[in-house]
Amino acid sequence: FVVRVWCLLEEILELCKLDEINYCPCKVYTLCRSHGPTKDVFDQLFNERNDKIDVVRKSLTFFVNKKLSIMQVDVKNIETEFQSGVYLIYLMSILEGYFIPLGLYHETPLNFDQKLENMYFAFKLIEEAGIPLKRTRADEVVP
């Protein structure tokens, strides 16, 4: 599950203008990519030392928190807090610059089905933003 959340964020980050961020995850991302194109970036990262994983985790958390601070959201654990799809919906609305009415998603999902509906909606937003999701499916992200 953790790998799926990270891959999803990687696909979003890959197409964002990360050079404009002060503490730039793309520097870590570029270091991770230098191992070669044969494996997924995060597959290779998980084969590396834990300190590299912690650096990427902190970088992704910093990026997400910087963007979500507008909504007064502070993510402490990306792996668990993105499971409901709500923060991913928030992130896409901020990155794409549009408002999403509350009735289009479950702000406080109560069960697996509501979380999955949120994730499908978030994936739809990602695809409409022109970000191709090659390696991750919505049903793989919701535990």
Side-chain angles (χ1 to χ4, degrees):
F1 165 74
V2 172
V3 174
R4 292 296 173 200
V5 171
W6 284 32
C7 287
L8 175 62
L9 289 173
E10 174 212 354
E11 290 180 39
I12 293 170
L13 289 172
E14 196 171 305
L15 296 169
C16 289
K17 294 181 180 178
L18 297 177
D19 295 326
E20 298 172 7
I21 299 173
N22 292 336
Y23 181 70
C24 183
C26 69
K27 292 178 185 171
V28 176
Y29 175 78
T30 304
L31 288 173
C32 297
R33 275 206 107 127
S34 64
H35 294 292
T38 56
K39 283 188 168 183
D40 179 81
V41 174
F42 287 103
D43 288 339
Q44 291 186 10
L45 181 63
F46 280 108
N47 291 331
E48 298 290 333
R49 300 183 323 257
N50 284 338
D51 58 330
K52 283 189 179 183
I53 294 171
D54 288 338
V55 169
V56 172
R57 180 182 287 123
K58 288 176 185 175
S59 297
L60 288 173
T61 303
F62 179 83
F63 171 78
V64 167
N65 281 329
K66 183 173 181 178
K67 297 300 179 185
L68 294 181
S69 67
I70 294 170
M71 302 186 79
Q72 299 177 349
V73 171
D74 184 39
V75 175
K76 304 243 185 295
N77 186 330
I78 288 177
E79 292 94 346
T80 59
E81 295 181 61
F82 268 69
Q83 292 176 358
S84 71
V86 174
Y87 288 167
L88 187 55
I89 291 169
Y90 291 170
L91 182 62
M92 288 309 301
S93 70
I94 291 166
L95 290 174
E96 290 299 304
Y98 48 74
F99 173 75
I100 300 174
L102 293 176
L104 295 179
Y105 64 97
H106 305 280
E107 188 174 17
T108 53
L110 302 174
N111 56 44
F112 175 81
D113 290 337
Q114 290 180 347
K115 290 178 184 179
L116 191 58
E117 286 176 27
N118 280 352
M119 200 58 71
Y120 280 125
F121 180 61
F123 273 53
K124 182 179 176 186
L125 295 174
I126 292 168
E127 289 172 356
E128 287 177 1
I131 302 171
L133 295 171
K134 305 170 206 157
R135 299 178 298 266
T136 310
R137 295 188 337 245
D139 58 351
E140 295 175 322
V141 179
V142 179

